[in-house]
């Protein structure tokens, strides 16, 4: 673990996301688990990252990959036991890795005891723990909000004659954070995990924490395209980023500070102006509100450079940037930009100012994989058959080995198809592999304060090349990235330290080769 004195570990650190179902199976069930993560910790530690973020491992009916939770302080038996989790935390800490968990505050499972009580009667003790409303005058849903997975964001309950809100699947009723008892119960759950040694949380879908209590209709989005998903046919003006949610974020941060400054990473999809709100009014919100621009941006150097400048200007004084290339919800970078550009994309992620989060398998150059209908897991895909929507293609199990059954992921029948990517074992000792490149990038980042904590300065951006400088302790490094399949002039001259081109002669770097990224001491 990096010792940075007064600098928090996460400012110079790197976070690695693990989706447990797809990481490593230790039982032959076909699905990954906690002991599987323990088995592969040496791979993660050797990358040189500082923390693992583990997607939900709580008890769940698995209607949405574990994001439908029945117990916020337990462990899903598919993944193991609380003793397995304790051993995982101990092993991770021994390997120099922090452990972050997913916290899912906006909704529970419809099988959670809270919701079973809530729907039992209109006068049930926990009725107001969820968002219930009468039907509209025509008998339909209370407003026009659309679920993130398609269809109305409201589900009718025959027994009590009201609708309940479900921003995601109907099996994920929205919790009512305006009820103080809900807020206290959820904060208590966070306390439990802090006491179990967790170093922080990635907070899921926090923009939906307190949807508009007047239930005003969302306006239509005139620029909507089907590929954006059904929910984006409306602007989320009243169903997300509402004012009452921000004091709740401040309370989460206060609790994190009570436990020695644990890290909170916030998932809040929105405009850059909206994302900035989650830093808090006095940096009392999330330390790292996720910045997803590199996932959705056109792969164009001018656009990316302009966004970096705008983002850097908008971050509040004392705030810290962060960057993400991929995650469990979005198409893999190698599928979005191609295998050649994916190498430069990793260089970009690991050299920008701010904390990078890596998505498992990107260090192997994994791509999206087709998933037959009978293997679909994602409710987004199941609710929209034949459309190509869905997140299963990015959640394919990690290919650890070639000779072993199940490519080293499982000895059983995998819950999703196996990857076609080159295995970790095959890439291990190959200096030309993506894995070797990522390790080299992280090693250089750790060796050079300019790349981890240094300043950022734009050097060049045109139709084909992006170059920027990082500087610390009077040492200036320049990162130059060629976004084209043609050779381009170097924007600056200097001693080359690392290239994305395998086995490149670093003593003879005078131009940028096609699709090449180079780091120079300039």
């Amino acid at each position: 673990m990096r010792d940075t004195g007064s600098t928090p570990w996460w400012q110079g650190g790197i976070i690695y996301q693990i989706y447990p179902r797809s990481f490593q199976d230790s039982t032959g069930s076909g699905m990954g688990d906690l002991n599987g993560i323990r088995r592969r910790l040496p791979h993660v530690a050797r990358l040189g990252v500082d923390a693992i973020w583990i997607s939900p491992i709580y008890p769940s009916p698995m209607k949405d990959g574990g994001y439908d939770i029945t117990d916020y302080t337990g462990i899903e038996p598919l993944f193991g036991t609380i003793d397995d989790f304790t051993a995982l935390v101990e092993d991770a800490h021994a390997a120099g890795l922090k452990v972050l968990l997913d916290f899912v505050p906006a909704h529970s499972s419809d099988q959670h005891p809270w919701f079973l009580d809530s729907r039992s009667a209109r006068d049930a003790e926990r009725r107001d723990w969820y968002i219930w409303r009468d039907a509209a005058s025509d008998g339909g849903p209370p407003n026009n909000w659309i679920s993130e997975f398609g269809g109305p964001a409201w589900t009718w309950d025959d027994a009590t004659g009201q609708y309940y809100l479900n921003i995601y699947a109907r099996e994920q009723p929205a919790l009512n954070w305006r009820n103080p008892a809900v807020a206290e119960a959820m904060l208590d759950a966070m306390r439990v995990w802090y006491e179990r040694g967790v170093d922080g949380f990635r907070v899921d879908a926090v923009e939906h924490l307190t949807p508009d209590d007047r239930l005003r209709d969302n306006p239509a989005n005139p620029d909507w395209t089907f590929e954006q998903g059904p929910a984006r046919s409306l602007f989320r003006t009243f169903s997300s980023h509402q004012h009452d949610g921000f004091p709740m974020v401040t309370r989460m941060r206060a609790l994190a500070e009570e436990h020695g400054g644990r890290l909170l990473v916030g998932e809040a999809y929105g405009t850059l102006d909206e994302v900035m709100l989650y830093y808090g009014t006095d940096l009392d919100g999330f330390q790292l509100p996720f910045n997803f621009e590199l996932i959705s941006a056109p792969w164009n150097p001018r656009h990316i450079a302009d966004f970096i400048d705008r983002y850097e200007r908008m971050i509040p004084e004392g705030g810290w940037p962060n960057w993400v290339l991929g995650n469990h919800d979005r198409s893999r970078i190698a599928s979005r930009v191609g295998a050649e550009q994916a190498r430069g994309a990793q260089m970009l992620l690991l050299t920008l100012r701010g904390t990078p989060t890596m998505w498992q398998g990107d260090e192997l150059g994994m791509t999206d994989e087709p998933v037959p209908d009978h293997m679909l897991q994602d409710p987004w895909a199941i609710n929209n058959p034949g459309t190509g929507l869905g997140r299963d293609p990015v959640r394919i199990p990690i290919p650890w080995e070639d000779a072993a059954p199940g490519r080293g992921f499982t000895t059983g029948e995998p819950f999703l198809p196996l990857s076609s990517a080159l295995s970790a074992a095959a890439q291990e000792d190959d200096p030309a592999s993506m894995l070797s490149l990522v390790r080299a990038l992280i090693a250089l980042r750790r060796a050079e304060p300019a790349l981890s904590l240094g300043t950022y300065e734009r050097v060049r951006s045109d139709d084909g090349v992006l170059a920027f400088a990082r500087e610390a302790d009077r040492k200036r490094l320049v990162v130059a990235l060629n976004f084209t399949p043609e050779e381009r002039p170097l924007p600056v001259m200097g001693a080359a330290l690392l290239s994305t081109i395998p086995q490149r002669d670093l003593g003879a770097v005078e131009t940028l080769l096609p699709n090449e990224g180079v780091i120079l001491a300039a």
Side-chain angles (χ1 to χ4, degrees):
M1 219 169 288
R2 186 179 288 102
D3 181 9
T4 54
S6 61
T7 302
W9 69 265
W10 46 267
Q11 284 197 352
I14 300 169
I15 300 169
Y16 182 91
Q17 182 190 357
I18 291 176
Y19 189 70
R21 295 206 299 173
S22 299
F23 199 64
Q24 175 66 59
D25 172 21
S26 71
T27 66
S29 69
M31 188 176 294
D33 49 52
L34 294 174
N35 285 327
I37 296 174
R38 290 178 65 196
R39 176 182 167 189
R40 298 298 182 181
L41 282 177
H43 168 86
V44 181
R46 190 176 171 196
L47 285 175
V49 302
D50 298 77
I52 55 173
W53 146 34
I54 306 174
S55 293
I57 53 175
Y58 313 104
S60 169
M62 292 290 169
K63 298 296 184 181
D64 182 25
Y67 285 87
D68 50 317
I69 294 167
T70 58
D71 178 359
Y72 285 95
T73 60
I75 298 290
E76 166 56 43
L78 284 170
F79 297 136
T81 67
I82 193 65
D83 288 341
D84 295 331
F85 177 78
T86 299
L88 170 58
V89 172
E90 290 174 353
D91 287 357
H93 286 169
L97 296 167
K98 302 282 190 181
V99 177
L100 312 179
L101 289 187
D102 236 310
F103 183 60
V104 186
H107 53 258
S108 75
S109 165
D110 64 352
Q111 300 304 304
H112 195 294
W114 298 344
F115 188 70
L116 295 178
D117 176 76
S118 184
R119 77 186 311 176
S120 65
R122 287 204 184 195
D123 60 354
E125 179 184 358
R126 290 186 173 87
R127 183 68 171 184
D128 193 42
W129 282 45
Y130 294 84
I131 299 173
W132 294 92
R133 292 293 187 273
D134 292 331
S137 57
D138 63 359
N143 64 16
N144 74 340
W145 296 353
I146 297 175
S147 159
E148 294 292 314
F149 298 146
W154 297 93
T155 297
W156 177 255
D157 180 62
D158 281 328
T160 58
Q162 282 188 314
Y163 283 93
Y164 65 83
L165 179 65
N166 57 275
I167 295 293
Y168 290 87
R170 65 178 55 198
E171 295 89 356
Q172 294 169 294
L175 284 159
N176 178 19
W177 273 75
R178 290 189 174 87
N179 182 335
V182 171
E184 286 302 325
M186 296 301 281
L187 292 170
D188 282 346
M190 297 179 90
R191 287 187 183 94
V192 168
W193 292 107
Y194 286 145
E195 290 164 5
R196 290 173 175 168
V198 167
D199 300 290
F201 292 95
R202 175 265 194 184
V203 183
D204 177 72
V206 71
E207 73 266 31
H208 297 302
L209 209 58
T210 55
D212 180 42
D213 56 353
R214 293 166 58 188
L215 301 186
R216 287 170 284 185
D217 281 351
N218 279 332
N221 177 3
D223 299 320
W224 175 74
T225 61
F226 182 80
E227 292 74 20
Q228 295 172 293
R232 297 303 184 271
S233 64
L234 302 175
F235 291 118
R236 302 184 302 169
T237 306
F238 298 110
S239 57
S240 64
H241 304 295
Q242 299 302 293
H243 175 76
D244 289 348
F246 297 110
M248 304 305 171
V249 172
T250 299
R251 292 189 66 185
M252 292 181 201
R253 176 62 181 274
L255 181 62
E257 293 302 323
E258 288 174 17
H259 288 81
R262 310 291 173 96
L263 175 64
L264 295 176
V265 182
E267 182 201 37
Y269 278 99
T271 66
L272 198 51
D273 288 317
E274 289 167 333
V275 170
M276 291 298 137
L277 296 173
Y278 290 89
Y279 280 102
T281 55
D282 189 26
L283 294 182
D284 56 1
F286 297 132
Q287 293 100 321
L288 298 176
F290 262 144
N291 159 29
F292 295 113
E293 178 66 14
L294 293 183
I295 292 180
S296 58
W299 202 243
N300 173 281
R302 288 187 191 275
H303 175 94
I304 292 173
D306 288 345
F307 178 85
I308 296 169
D309 286 348
R310 181 169 174 247
Y311 180 56
E312 287 276 359
R313 287 195 303 269
M314 292 183 68
I315 293 171
E317 185 177 356
W320 189 250
N322 67 89
W323 297 92
V324 183
L325 269 182
N327 61 28
H328 62 294
D329 287 333
R330 307 295 286 271
S331 178
R332 284 194 178 271
I333 183 64
S335 290
R336 298 199 310 268
V337 304
E340 295 84 2
Q341 279 293 309
R343 297 176 69 88
Q346 291 298 324
M347 179 172 282
L348 178 66
L349 174 70
L350 293 167
T351 57
L352 283 169
R353 191 178 85 95
T355 303
T357 296
M358 299 178 60
W359 166 227
Q360 67 173 42
D362 279 353
E363 77 274 19
L364 304 178
M366 288 180 67
T367 57
D368 300 350
E369 303 279 355
V371 178
D373 289 348
H374 73 278
M375 297 184 77
L376 290 174
Q377 307 285 323
D378 185 4
W380 194 15
I382 293 169
N383 292 349
N384 298 275
T387 63
L389 296 175
R391 301 163 296 178
D392 291 325
V394 309
R395 300 176 178 182
I396 298 299
I398 300 291
W400 294 107
E401 304 166 35
D402 292 314
R407 302 207 71 192
F409 166 71
T410 182
T411 57
E413 188 69 26
F415 81 108
L416 284 174
L418 296 173
S419 174
S420 61
L422 202 61
S423 72
Q427 296 192 39
E428 178 69 31
D429 297 318
D430 179 3
S433 70
M434 177 69 90
L435 179 58
S436 293
L437 172 64
V438 169
R439 285 174 175 164
L441 283 164
I442 294 175
L444 186 60
R445 177 187 172 91
R446 293 182 76 95
E448 296 287 355
L451 293 179
S452 57
L453 296 170
T455 60
Y456 169 88
E457 178 190 351
R458 180 172 174 171
V459 172
R460 170 82 60 83
S461 63
D462 55 32
D463 291 335
V465 173
L466 169 63
F468 55 89
R470 303 291 312 281
E471 185 169 352
D473 302 329
R474 298 183 180 179
K475 187 167 185 179
R476 178 181 171 90
L477 303 183
V478 172
V479 181
L481 299 162
N482 184 357
F483 283 63
T484 77
E486 293 91 29
E487 192 169 326
R488 291 296 180 100
L490 268 176
V492 297
M493 298 305 293
L497 304 179
L498 184 62
S499 168
T500 60
I501 301 296
Q503 299 170 322
R504 172 82 138 118
D505 180 359
L506 297 180
V509 177
E510 298 179 353
T511 62
L512 282 171
L513 297 179
N515 302 301
E516 184 180 25
V518 175
I519 301 175
L520 306 148

